[in-house]
Structures are given as structure tokens and as C-alpha cells.
């Protein structure tokens, strides 16, 4: 009887050596990409989470000793860069996540105006939408303009333009604009055409103007200047439900974090309040909880989920405060 051929298996030691080699190669590639990552001018070294509280200060930019921003208000994150509305300078400043300066987007002045005053800024696909309070308009521009900035469109230019835009958000091809002139929320499509409007004044004591709009999981959240409250609104009909949270001193921004969690930036309360969908407060970043990073006049907020960090513009100091947020400590 002839000998049968025997297929030899791979030795366990060989498998282990191969796995170790793969790990080493991947680690080397990651380390090399980190070393080759460009460090933009003005970048700061951010600190990781520390302490027992959910919020801790990661850092501040521009750094102490560098020139502060001229009244930074709105801020937005596109998955790579931060866009900050530097209102008194009439431009959008672009930063990386370490506060390095990437670009400057000067905004065109509207006809008949002497200046431009950007307050709110949101990401709208490959474009930016900006509230210009100097001309009472919402302009849409390329997110990465080449050369001179060209205005793609102005919302409602063909009709039903907001008279006094005070807040702005964007989701699924629709722009939502709060109009302080009549309390309406006006909705426009990607081409700037008016789709519908609804008035939320009188609901839950809202008396306007609205200071913030945000969409999370299909629900539109609106912050009211007069009552200081944040309410949940049906984005299609404008009807609000029974959810009603506490009154804030001056809610400037509502920023969704996902999983039903939101942040309300309270300008006069000098705090960033973390709330759930039922408007219950979960945690707060303020002078008591994060004494090393007190806010002077906080305004806008942007959430970077990959790093678990909240970026808050402070118009009082002209800087952006960066907070670590450990959601597992709630």
C-alpha cells in the first residue's frame, strides 16, 4: 500500500509571528501618517480627558499670546475642519481640530451695504450657509472657494426671503431659517426656493425671536430669546410636542450630539448644558464644573464625535474653548 500524502498545517508559531508582523506594519503606518500630518500655524496641544466629571478642558485657541478672533459667533464642523464666523471681521475662519489656521473665507458685502456681519454658519453638503446680519440675508457659498468667493445663491431671492434671519440649520436638502420679523420658520430647498413656513409663537409661551435652530433625528429644536426655552417641533408641520425644558438665561445654540443627546449653550448663564430628548439636564460645563476653562460670553458649539470633544466659541474672549466630554460618565 502506498503512502498517502499528508497536508501539513501551518504551525501556530508561524501564525503568531505573522499576526505580530501585521500589527507592527499597521502601527508603523499609523505613526508615519501622524508624523506626516501637516501642522497648521497656530495649532495648540490639546489635553485628553481628565478628572471625574463628564466635561474637562482640552485647550483653547488661538493660544494665549496670539491675537484673538474678532467676536467669534457661529461654528460648524464638516468632518475635517471647523468653520468659525468671525463677525467683526466679516469672514469665516477655517481651523483644524487643534486650532491650526487652514484658510480664511472673506464674505462678499451685499449691494448697498458697507460691511458683512456673519453670525450663524452651517454645513450644507459641499457648501456653507451663512446668516449675514448686516444685510439681513442668508447666503450660500462654496465650502472650499478657489480665489474670489462667489455667492451660489441667497435664500428666498426669488420670493419669501427672510426679513430678519436670526438662526439657521440644514438637513436633508432643506434650509430652516428663523425670521425675527414675524416669528416664522421658513424652509427652503437646495436651490434657495421657498417650500413652506410655520409660526411657532404662542406655543409653550414662545414669543421670539428664535436664537437657535437644530435638527436631530427628524426633530427640529428651537431656542427662544424671550422665554429662554428650547422646544421640539415637527419639521414638516411646525407643531410642537409636550416636551418642555427649563428656562435658560439666554440660549444661543442647540447642538445635537447623537443618541438623543443635545447641548444648549447658555450665553448669559456662561455654560454648555447637556440635555436628553426629554429636556432633562445631564451635565454642564461651567465655572463650577470646569474652573480652568470658564466661559465669558459663549455663543456657538460644534461637536466632533470622533474625538468626543465640544468646541465652543466665546465672543467675550475671542477664542474657542475645547472640552472633552466623556459620555460614559453620565
Amino acid at each position: 500500500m502506498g503512502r498517502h500524502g499528508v497536508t501539513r498545517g501551518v504551525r501556530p508559531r508561524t501564525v503568531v509571528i505573522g499576526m505580530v508582523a501585521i500589527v507592527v506594519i499597521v502601527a508603523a503606518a499609523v505613526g508615519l501618517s501622524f508624523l506626516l500630518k501637516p501642522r497648521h500655524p497656530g495649532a495648540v496641544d490639546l489635553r485628553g480627558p481628565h478628572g471625574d466629571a463628564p466635561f474637562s478642558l482640552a485647550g483653547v485657541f488661538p493660544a494665549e499670546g496670539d491675537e484673538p478672533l474678532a467676536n467669534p459667533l457661529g461654528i460648524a464642523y464638516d468632518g475635517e475642519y471647523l468653520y468659525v464666523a468671525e463677525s467683526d471681521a466679516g469672514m469665516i475662519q477655517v481651523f483644524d481640530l487643534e486650532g491650526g489656521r487652514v484658510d480664511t473665507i472673506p464674505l462678499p458685502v451685499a449691494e448697498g451695504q458697507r460691511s458683512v456681519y456673519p453670525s450663524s454658519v452651517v454645513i450644507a453638503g459641499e457648501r456653507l450657509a451663512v446668516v449675514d446680519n448686516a444685510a439681513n440675508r442668508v447666503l450660500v457659498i462654496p465650502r472650499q472657494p478657489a480665489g474670489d468667493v462667489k455667492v451660489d445663491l441667497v435664500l428666498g431671492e426669488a420670493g419669501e426671503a427672510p426679513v430678519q434671519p436670526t438662526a439657521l440649520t440644514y438637513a436633508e436638502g432643506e434650509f430652516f431659517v428663523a425670521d425675527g420679523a414675524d416669528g416664522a420658520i421658513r424652509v427652503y430647498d437646495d436651490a434657495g426656493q421657498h417650500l413652506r413656513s410655520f409660526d411657532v409663537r404662542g406655543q409653550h409661551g414662545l414669543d421670539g425671536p428664535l436664537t437657535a435652530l437644530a435638527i436631530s433625528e427628524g426633530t427640529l429644536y428651537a431656542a427662544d430669546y424671550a422665554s429662554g426655552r428650547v422646544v421640539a417641533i415637527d419639521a414638516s408641520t411646525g407643531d410642537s410636542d409636550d416636551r418642555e425644558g427649563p428656562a435658560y438665561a439666554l440660549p444661543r445654540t442647540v447642538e445635537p450630539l447623537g443618541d438623543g443627546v443635545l447641548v444648549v449653550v447658555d450665553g448669559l448663564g456662561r455654560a454648555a448644558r447637556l440635555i436628553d430628548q426629554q429636556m432633562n439636564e445631564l451635565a454642564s460645563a461651567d465655572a463650577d464644573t470646569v474652573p480652568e476653562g470658564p466661559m465669558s460670553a459663549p455663543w456657538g458649539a460644534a461637536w466632533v464625535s470622533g474625538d468626543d470633544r465640544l468646541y465652543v466659541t466665546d465672543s467675550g474672549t475671542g477664542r474657542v474653548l475645547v472640552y472633552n466630554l466623556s459620555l460614559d460618565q453620565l
Side-chain angles (χ1 to χ4, degrees), residues 82-239:
L82 296 159
Y83 298 79
V84 178
E86 191 178 14
S87 59
D88 286 356
M91 58 185 60
I92 304 295
Q93 296 288 355
V94 187
F95 297 93
D96 63 25
L97 295 182
E98 288 75 40
R101 292 179 179 269
V102 177
D103 200 358
T104 296
I105 305 176
L107 298 174
V109 178
E111 185 177 353
Q113 298 295 320
R114 293 185 175 182
S115 63
V116 58
Y117 192 91
S119 55
S120 297
V121 55
V122 301
I123 306 298
E126 296 301 317
R127 302 180 296 179
L128 295 177
V130 182
V131 172
D132 171 18
N133 291 128
N136 282 320
R137 60 176 179 165
V138 179
L139 61 154
V140 181
I141 62 174
R143 203 171 69 199
Q144 296 177 332
D148 294 337
V149 177
K150 303 295 184 183
V151 176
D152 281 354
L153 57 94
V154 175
L155 297 187
E157 201 167 29
E160 291 292 332
V163 177
Q164 186 184 354
T166 58
L168 170 71
T169 193
Y170 175 88
E172 298 182 356
E174 293 185 338
F175 298 92
F176 294 78
V177 182
D179 194 338
D182 60 3
I185 296 176
R186 307 192 191 283
V187 188
Y188 304 87
D189 64 15
D190 263 329
Q193 300 294 317
H194 179 259
L195 297 176
R196 60 189 181 279
S197 296
F198 37 81
D199 190 350
V200 298
R201 285 187 179 179
Q203 300 186 47
H204 292 290
L206 299 186
D207 194 28
L210 300 179
T211 54
L213 293 176
I215 289 186
S216 177
E217 300 177 2
T219 298
L220 178 65
Y221 292 87
D224 179 56
Y225 173 85
S227 68
R229 298 191 182 278
V230 175
V231 299
I233 299 171
D234 186 299
S236 298
T237 65
D239 295 331

Side-chain angles (χ1 to χ4, degrees), residues 71-73 252 265-268 270-271 294-300 312-319 321:
N71 198 23
L73 300 181
R252 286 291 191 191
V265 176
D266 188 346
L268 292 181
R270 299 179 180 180
M295 304 177 189
S296 172
W299 191 290
V312 179
T313 56
D314 192 329
S315 61
T317 62
R319 288 180 161 79
L321 301 171

